[in-house]
Amino acid sequence: MTNLLDGKSLAALHERELTDRVTALKTRNGGQTPVLATILVGDDPSSAVYVRMKGNACRRVGMDSRAITFSSSATTEEVLSQIDQLNADPDVHGILLQHPVPAHVDERACFDRISVAKDVDGVTSHGFGLMALGEPAFGSATPAGIMRLLSHYQIDVSGKRAVIVGRSPILGKPMALMLANANATITLCHSKTVNLEAEVRRAQLVVGAVGKPNFIPSEWIGNGAIVVDAGYHVGGIGDIESGDLLDRCAAVTPVPGGVGPMTISTLISQTVTAAERAAQSA
Ligand code: NAP
């Protein structure tokens, strides 16, 4: 029987646990509320929606968010200076810079300016390196959320042939390393991969992280595979064509309601952890 990997329900369950942790933290910490600072640069409507959803999730668990917005003409220096202020602010526990920023802003420089202790979205080179080496670090929120979803459904990836389609720094690459750290055998595909179809056909676990609607045809996916679709496009379409996958795969993430809610839940969870650590070291 196919496991529907229900990220929406799991995220709701995690939010109940997080609410308890936030309440306990506030009690121990003289009422101080954990705060996630979000930085949005430009006027991309999808990014604005994602940032709003993250702020709403903070409030649902009793945290605060501080929304900082820049116009699309903002410079790298202005964003860096804002990140410096947030790094130095003891009332801020996590910093999220919404990806993507406008092309003229140096996104990598901005990500890497975030202090590792507040890198709750797992975007810094330092955090990525620690995660890759299997050292403690906040993982990149989307792949870390996928790992939590697989773990909740007791899907053991050890020894499985995992094929990840997409190698972005926030999704495909960290996904590949997290799966390798969990003992999967990984193939990381991208736009220069020769014969993508053959790679996907061999996969026991497929992760769609391409950013193109229905890019991977369902007929490429083998019977009994585990299918994780990180894509989300207008009309509730993912990067992987859903077709008959529910009838013949071992596990499938729905779109929507699979990976998306787990990304937000992981971001919030990592912010609460950052706030707990800050309280301990105060
Ligand atoms: P991205 O930065 O645009 O990266 C896309 C990747 O796909 C690149 O590595 C690219 O390869 C690869 N690609 C493009 N065309 C290809 C082709 N013809 N064959 C094979 N690979 C190809 O995208 P992203 O930020 O990682 O996001 C990917 C998807 O995940 C999007 O749908 C996005 O909306 C979704 N996403 C969802 C969440 C969530 O919370 N649910 C969070 C983040 C992203 P090259 O490296 O060679 O260019």
Side-chain angles (χ1 to χ4, degrees), residues 7-58:
K8 193 173 172 192
S9 298
L10 182 57
L13 183 71
H14 283 158
E15 281 192 7
R16 287 197 284 280
E17 293 164 8
L18 287 168
T19 304
D20 292 343
R21 280 170 63 189
V22 170
T23 305
L25 187 57
K26 284 184 189 173
T27 310
R28 281 203 309 274
N29 214 20
Q32 201 197 2
T33 304
V35 172
L36 171 70
T38 62
I39 306 174
L40 175 65
V41 188
D43 45 19
D44 177 60
S46 305
S47 292
V49 170
Y50 293 141
V51 166
R52 210 165 35 245
M53 287 167 75
K54 289 164 186 173
N56 291 343
C58 286

Short mmCIF file of all heavy atoms in Angstrom, two decimals, residues 7-58:
data_model
loop_
_atom_site.label_atom_id
_atom_site.label_comp_id
_atom_site.label_asym_id
_atom_site.label_seq_id
_atom_site.Cartn_x
_atom_site.Cartn_y
_atom_site.Cartn_z
N GLY A 7 2.77 15.76 4.91
CA GLY A 7 3.53 16.80 5.60
C GLY A 7 2.66 17.79 6.35
O GLY A 7 3.06 18.33 7.38
N LYS A 8 1.47 17.99 5.84
CA LYS A 8 0.58 18.97 6.49
C LYS A 8 0.21 18.50 7.91
O LYS A 8 0.31 19.27 8.87
CB LYS A 8 -0.68 19.14 5.64
CG LYS A 8 -1.51 20.31 6.02
CD LYS A 8 -2.65 20.52 5.04
CE LYS A 8 -3.58 21.59 5.57
NZ LYS A 8 -4.82 21.66 4.85
N SER A 9 -0.18 17.23 8.03
CA SER A 9 -0.56 16.72 9.36
C SER A 9 0.65 16.66 10.28
O SER A 9 0.55 16.98 11.47
CB SER A 9 -1.15 15.31 9.24
OG SER A 9 -2.31 15.35 8.48
N LEU A 10 1.80 16.23 9.71
CA LEU A 10 2.99 16.13 10.56
C LEU A 10 3.42 17.51 11.05
O LEU A 10 3.80 17.69 12.22
CB LEU A 10 4.14 15.45 9.79
CG LEU A 10 5.42 15.24 10.60
CD1 LEU A 10 5.16 14.42 11.86
CD2 LEU A 10 6.48 14.55 9.74
N ALA A 11 3.34 18.51 10.18
CA ALA A 11 3.71 19.87 10.58
C ALA A 11 2.77 20.36 11.68
O ALA A 11 3.21 21.03 12.63
CB ALA A 11 3.66 20.80 9.37
N ALA A 12 1.49 20.03 11.57
CA ALA A 12 0.53 20.45 12.61
C ALA A 12 0.88 19.79 13.95
O ALA A 12 0.82 20.43 15.01
CB ALA A 12 -0.89 20.09 12.18
N LEU A 13 1.28 18.53 13.89
CA LEU A 13 1.69 17.81 15.10
C LEU A 13 2.93 18.48 15.71
O LEU A 13 3.00 18.74 16.92
CB LEU A 13 2.00 16.36 14.74
CG LEU A 13 2.39 15.40 15.84
CD1 LEU A 13 1.18 15.10 16.70
CD2 LEU A 13 2.95 14.10 15.25
N HIS A 14 3.90 18.78 14.86
CA HIS A 14 5.12 19.45 15.35
C HIS A 14 4.79 20.81 15.95
O HIS A 14 5.40 21.22 16.93
CB HIS A 14 6.12 19.64 14.20
CG HIS A 14 6.84 18.37 13.86
ND1 HIS A 14 7.44 18.16 12.64
CD2 HIS A 14 7.07 17.25 14.57
CE1 HIS A 14 7.98 16.96 12.63
NE2 HIS A 14 7.77 16.39 13.77
N GLU A 15 3.81 21.50 15.36
CA GLU A 15 3.47 22.84 15.90
C GLU A 15 2.94 22.74 17.32
O GLU A 15 3.21 23.61 18.15
CB GLU A 15 2.44 23.53 14.99
CG GLU A 15 3.10 24.14 13.77
CD GLU A 15 2.19 25.09 13.00
OE1 GLU A 15 1.08 25.40 13.47
OE2 GLU A 15 2.62 25.51 11.91
N ARG A 16 2.22 21.66 17.63
CA ARG A 16 1.73 21.50 19.00
C ARG A 16 2.91 21.32 19.96
O ARG A 16 2.95 21.90 21.04
CB ARG A 16 0.74 20.33 19.08
CG ARG A 16 -0.61 20.65 18.42
CD ARG A 16 -1.71 19.71 18.83
NE ARG A 16 -1.62 18.40 18.19
CZ ARG A 16 -2.04 18.15 16.96
NH1 ARG A 16 -2.59 19.12 16.22
NH2 ARG A 16 -1.94 16.94 16.44
N GLU A 17 3.90 20.52 19.54
CA GLU A 17 5.09 20.32 20.39
C GLU A 17 5.87 21.64 20.53
O GLU A 17 6.36 21.97 21.60
CB GLU A 17 6.01 19.26 19.77
CG GLU A 17 5.41 17.86 19.78
CD GLU A 17 6.13 16.91 18.83
OE1 GLU A 17 7.20 17.29 18.28
OE2 GLU A 17 5.64 15.80 18.63
N LEU A 18 5.95 22.37 19.42
CA LEU A 18 6.71 23.63 19.44
C LEU A 18 6.04 24.66 20.34
O LEU A 18 6.72 25.42 21.03
CB LEU A 18 6.86 24.18 18.02
CG LEU A 18 7.85 23.41 17.14
CD1 LEU A 18 7.71 23.84 15.68
CD2 LEU A 18 9.26 23.63 17.63
N THR A 19 4.71 24.67 20.34
CA THR A 19 3.98 25.60 21.21
C THR A 19 4.36 25.35 22.67
O THR A 19 4.61 26.29 23.44
CB THR A 19 2.46 25.43 21.01
OG1 THR A 19 2.17 25.60 19.63
CG2 THR A 19 1.66 26.44 21.82
N ASP A 20 4.46 24.06 23.04
CA ASP A 20 4.85 23.72 24.42
C ASP A 20 6.28 24.18 24.70
O ASP A 20 6.57 24.71 25.78
CB ASP A 20 4.76 22.20 24.64
CG ASP A 20 3.32 21.71 24.61
OD1 ASP A 20 2.41 22.56 24.74
OD2 ASP A 20 3.11 20.50 24.44
N ARG A 21 7.17 23.98 23.73
CA ARG A 21 8.58 24.40 23.95
C ARG A 21 8.67 25.92 24.08
O ARG A 21 9.43 26.42 24.90
CB ARG A 21 9.46 23.90 22.80
CG ARG A 21 9.85 22.43 22.95
CD ARG A 21 10.50 21.90 21.69
NE ARG A 21 11.76 22.56 21.36
CZ ARG A 21 12.41 22.37 20.21
NH1 ARG A 21 11.93 21.55 19.30
NH2 ARG A 21 13.55 22.99 19.97
N VAL A 22 7.91 26.62 23.28
CA VAL A 22 7.96 28.10 23.33
C VAL A 22 7.40 28.58 24.67
O VAL A 22 7.98 29.47 25.32
CB VAL A 22 7.18 28.72 22.15
CG1 VAL A 22 7.00 30.22 22.33
CG2 VAL A 22 7.90 28.43 20.84
N THR A 23 6.32 27.96 25.12
CA THR A 23 5.73 28.35 26.41
C THR A 23 6.74 28.12 27.53
O THR A 23 6.95 28.99 28.40
CB THR A 23 4.44 27.53 26.68
OG1 THR A 23 3.57 27.70 25.56
CG2 THR A 23 3.74 27.96 27.95
N ALA A 24 7.39 26.95 27.50
CA ALA A 24 8.38 26.62 28.55
C ALA A 24 9.55 27.61 28.50
O ALA A 24 10.03 28.08 29.54
CB ALA A 24 8.88 25.19 28.35
N LEU A 25 9.96 27.95 27.30
CA LEU A 25 11.09 28.87 27.13
C LEU A 25 10.75 30.25 27.68
O LEU A 25 11.55 30.87 28.39
CB LEU A 25 11.44 28.95 25.64
CG LEU A 25 12.68 29.71 25.22
CD1 LEU A 25 13.92 29.16 25.89
CD2 LEU A 25 12.83 29.61 23.71
N LYS A 26 9.55 30.71 27.37
CA LYS A 26 9.13 32.05 27.85
C LYS A 26 9.09 32.06 29.38
O LYS A 26 9.48 33.02 30.02
CB LYS A 26 7.75 32.40 27.31
CG LYS A 26 7.72 32.81 25.86
CD LYS A 26 6.28 33.21 25.53
CE LYS A 26 6.04 33.45 24.09
NZ LYS A 26 4.65 33.66 23.75
N THR A 27 8.59 30.95 29.97
CA THR A 27 8.49 30.88 31.42
C THR A 27 9.88 30.95 32.06
O THR A 27 10.11 31.69 33.01
CB THR A 27 7.79 29.55 31.83
OG1 THR A 27 6.60 29.44 31.06
CG2 THR A 27 7.46 29.50 33.31
N ARG A 28 10.80 30.16 31.49
CA ARG A 28 12.16 30.11 32.05
C ARG A 28 12.90 31.42 31.82
O ARG A 28 13.81 31.77 32.54
CB ARG A 28 12.97 29.01 31.33
CG ARG A 28 12.69 27.60 31.81
CD ARG A 28 13.86 26.68 31.48
NE ARG A 28 14.30 26.73 30.10
CZ ARG A 28 13.77 26.02 29.12
NH1 ARG A 28 12.78 25.21 29.38
NH2 ARG A 28 14.23 26.11 27.88
N ASN A 29 12.51 32.13 30.79
CA ASN A 29 13.34 33.23 30.29
C ASN A 29 12.71 34.60 30.55
O ASN A 29 12.86 35.51 29.73
CB ASN A 29 13.53 33.01 28.78
CG ASN A 29 14.88 33.47 28.31
OD1 ASN A 29 15.79 33.61 29.12
ND2 ASN A 29 15.00 33.72 27.03
N GLY A 30 11.97 34.72 31.66
CA GLY A 30 11.40 36.01 32.03
C GLY A 30 10.44 36.56 30.99
O GLY A 30 10.34 37.77 30.80
N GLY A 31 9.75 35.66 30.29
CA GLY A 31 8.74 36.10 29.33
C GLY A 31 9.29 36.46 27.96
O GLY A 31 8.52 36.85 27.07
N GLN A 32 10.62 36.31 27.77
CA GLN A 32 11.16 36.70 26.46
C GLN A 32 10.70 35.74 25.35
O GLN A 32 10.78 34.52 25.50
CB GLN A 32 12.69 36.73 26.49
CG GLN A 32 13.22 37.60 25.36
CD GLN A 32 14.70 37.35 25.06
OE1 GLN A 32 15.34 36.50 25.66
NE2 GLN A 32 15.22 38.09 24.10
N THR A 33 10.19 36.33 24.28
CA THR A 33 9.61 35.55 23.18
C THR A 33 10.67 35.28 22.11
O THR A 33 11.37 36.21 21.71
CB THR A 33 8.45 36.36 22.55
OG1 THR A 33 7.52 36.67 23.57
CG2 THR A 33 7.75 35.57 21.46
N PRO A 34 10.78 34.03 21.64
CA PRO A 34 11.68 33.77 20.51
C PRO A 34 11.26 34.57 19.27
O PRO A 34 10.07 34.70 19.00
CB PRO A 34 11.53 32.27 20.25
CG PRO A 34 10.93 31.71 21.48
CD PRO A 34 10.13 32.81 22.10
N VAL A 35 12.24 35.10 18.56
CA VAL A 35 11.94 35.96 17.40
C VAL A 35 12.68 35.46 16.16
O VAL A 35 13.89 35.21 16.21
CB VAL A 35 12.35 37.42 17.70
CG1 VAL A 35 12.24 38.28 16.43
CG2 VAL A 35 11.49 38.01 18.80
N LEU A 36 11.93 35.31 15.07
CA LEU A 36 12.52 35.05 13.75
C LEU A 36 12.46 36.35 12.95
O LEU A 36 11.38 36.92 12.78
CB LEU A 36 11.72 33.96 13.03
CG LEU A 36 12.11 33.73 11.56
CD1 LEU A 36 13.50 33.07 11.45
CD2 LEU A 36 11.07 32.85 10.84
N ALA A 37 13.61 36.82 12.48
CA ALA A 37 13.62 37.99 11.59
C ALA A 37 13.59 37.49 10.15
O ALA A 37 14.37 36.61 9.78
CB ALA A 37 14.87 38.82 11.84
N THR A 38 12.68 38.04 9.36
CA THR A 38 12.62 37.67 7.94
C THR A 38 13.02 38.88 7.10
O THR A 38 12.62 40.01 7.40
CB THR A 38 11.20 37.21 7.55
OG1 THR A 38 10.29 38.30 7.73
CG2 THR A 38 10.73 36.03 8.37
N ILE A 39 13.81 38.62 6.07
CA ILE A 39 14.24 39.71 5.17
C ILE A 39 13.74 39.37 3.77
O ILE A 39 14.06 38.29 3.24
CB ILE A 39 15.77 39.85 5.15
CG1 ILE A 39 16.33 40.02 6.56
CG2 ILE A 39 16.18 41.03 4.27
CD1 ILE A 39 17.86 40.02 6.62
N LEU A 40 12.97 40.27 3.22
CA LEU A 40 12.45 40.10 1.86
C LEU A 40 13.00 41.23 1.01
O LEU A 40 12.84 42.40 1.36
CB LEU A 40 10.92 40.14 1.91
CG LEU A 40 10.17 40.09 0.58
CD1 LEU A 40 10.40 38.75 -0.12
CD2 LEU A 40 8.67 40.30 0.79
N VAL A 41 13.66 40.88 -0.08
CA VAL A 41 14.22 41.91 -0.97
C VAL A 41 13.49 41.82 -2.31
O VAL A 41 13.51 40.77 -2.96
CB VAL A 41 15.74 41.70 -1.19
CG1 VAL A 41 16.32 42.90 -1.95
CG2 VAL A 41 16.47 41.51 0.13
N GLY A 42 12.84 42.93 -2.69
CA GLY A 42 12.16 42.94 -3.99
C GLY A 42 10.69 42.66 -3.85
O GLY A 42 10.16 42.52 -2.75
N ASP A 43 10.02 42.53 -5.01
CA ASP A 43 8.56 42.44 -4.99
C ASP A 43 8.03 41.18 -5.64
O ASP A 43 6.94 41.17 -6.21
CB ASP A 43 7.96 43.69 -5.64
CG ASP A 43 8.68 44.02 -6.94
OD1 ASP A 43 9.34 43.10 -7.48
OD2 ASP A 43 8.59 45.18 -7.40
N ASP A 44 8.80 40.09 -5.54
CA ASP A 44 8.32 38.81 -6.08
C ASP A 44 7.11 38.35 -5.26
O ASP A 44 7.21 38.16 -4.04
CB ASP A 44 9.45 37.77 -6.00
CG ASP A 44 8.98 36.41 -6.48
OD1 ASP A 44 8.56 36.31 -7.63
OD2 ASP A 44 8.99 35.45 -5.67
N PRO A 45 5.94 38.20 -5.90
CA PRO A 45 4.73 37.89 -5.12
C PRO A 45 4.80 36.55 -4.40
O PRO A 45 4.34 36.43 -3.26
CB PRO A 45 3.61 37.88 -6.17
CG PRO A 45 4.23 38.07 -7.51
CD PRO A 45 5.69 38.35 -7.34
N SER A 46 5.42 35.53 -5.01
CA SER A 46 5.51 34.22 -4.33
C SER A 46 6.37 34.33 -3.08
O SER A 46 6.03 33.79 -2.02
CB SER A 46 6.14 33.16 -5.24
OG SER A 46 5.46 33.08 -6.43
N SER A 47 7.48 35.06 -3.19
CA SER A 47 8.36 35.22 -2.02
C SER A 47 7.62 35.93 -0.90
O SER A 47 7.75 35.57 0.28
CB SER A 47 9.62 36.02 -2.40
OG SER A 47 10.42 35.28 -3.27
N ALA A 48 6.82 36.94 -1.26
CA ALA A 48 6.06 37.67 -0.24
C ALA A 48 5.09 36.72 0.47
O ALA A 48 4.93 36.77 1.70
CB ALA A 48 5.30 38.83 -0.88
N VAL A 49 4.46 35.84 -0.30
CA VAL A 49 3.53 34.86 0.30
C VAL A 49 4.30 33.93 1.24
O VAL A 49 3.87 33.68 2.38
CB VAL A 49 2.81 34.05 -0.80
CG1 VAL A 49 2.04 32.87 -0.20
CG2 VAL A 49 1.86 34.94 -1.59
N TYR A 50 5.48 33.42 0.80
CA TYR A 50 6.25 32.49 1.64
C TYR A 50 6.65 33.16 2.96
O TYR A 50 6.55 32.56 4.03
CB TYR A 50 7.50 31.99 0.91
CG TYR A 50 7.21 31.11 -0.29
CD1 TYR A 50 7.96 31.20 -1.45
CD2 TYR A 50 6.18 30.18 -0.24
CE1 TYR A 50 7.69 30.39 -2.55
CE2 TYR A 50 5.90 29.37 -1.34
CZ TYR A 50 6.66 29.49 -2.49
OH TYR A 50 6.38 28.69 -3.58
N VAL A 51 7.08 34.43 2.87
CA VAL A 51 7.51 35.13 4.08
C VAL A 51 6.32 35.32 5.03
O VAL A 51 6.43 35.12 6.24
CB VAL A 51 8.17 36.48 3.72
CG1 VAL A 51 8.32 37.38 4.95
CG2 VAL A 51 9.53 36.24 3.08
N ARG A 52 5.17 35.66 4.44
CA ARG A 52 3.98 35.84 5.28
C ARG A 52 3.59 34.51 5.96
O ARG A 52 3.25 34.48 7.14
CB ARG A 52 2.83 36.34 4.41
CG ARG A 52 1.88 37.20 5.19
CD ARG A 52 0.91 38.04 4.37
NE ARG A 52 0.41 37.46 3.15
CZ ARG A 52 0.66 37.94 1.93
NH1 ARG A 52 1.44 38.99 1.78
NH2 ARG A 52 0.16 37.38 0.86
N MET A 53 3.68 33.42 5.21
CA MET A 53 3.34 32.11 5.79
C MET A 53 4.29 31.77 6.95
O MET A 53 3.87 31.19 7.96
CB MET A 53 3.44 31.02 4.72
CG MET A 53 2.31 31.06 3.70
SD MET A 53 2.64 30.03 2.26
CE MET A 53 2.36 28.41 2.91
N LYS A 54 5.55 32.14 6.82
CA LYS A 54 6.52 31.84 7.88
C LYS A 54 6.22 32.69 9.12
O LYS A 54 6.28 32.19 10.25
CB LYS A 54 7.95 32.08 7.35
CG LYS A 54 8.34 30.99 6.33
CD LYS A 54 9.55 31.33 5.47
CE LYS A 54 9.73 30.24 4.41
NZ LYS A 54 10.78 30.54 3.41
N GLY A 55 5.85 33.96 8.89
CA GLY A 55 5.47 34.82 10.02
C GLY A 55 4.22 34.28 10.72
O GLY A 55 4.15 34.25 11.95
N ASN A 56 3.26 33.83 9.95
CA ASN A 56 2.03 33.27 10.53
C ASN A 56 2.34 32.02 11.36
O ASN A 56 1.77 31.83 12.44
CB ASN A 56 1.03 32.90 9.43
CG ASN A 56 0.45 34.14 8.75
OD1 ASN A 56 0.54 35.24 9.29
ND2 ASN A 56 -0.12 33.97 7.57
N ALA A 57 3.25 31.19 10.86
CA ALA A 57 3.61 29.96 11.60
C ALA A 57 4.26 30.33 12.93
O ALA A 57 4.02 29.68 13.95
CB ALA A 57 4.54 29.10 10.75
N CYS A 58 5.09 31.38 12.93
CA CYS A 58 5.69 31.85 14.20
C CYS A 58 4.60 32.16 15.21
O CYS A 58 4.64 31.72 16.36
CB CYS A 58 6.52 33.11 13.97
SG CYS A 58 8.07 32.84 13.14
#
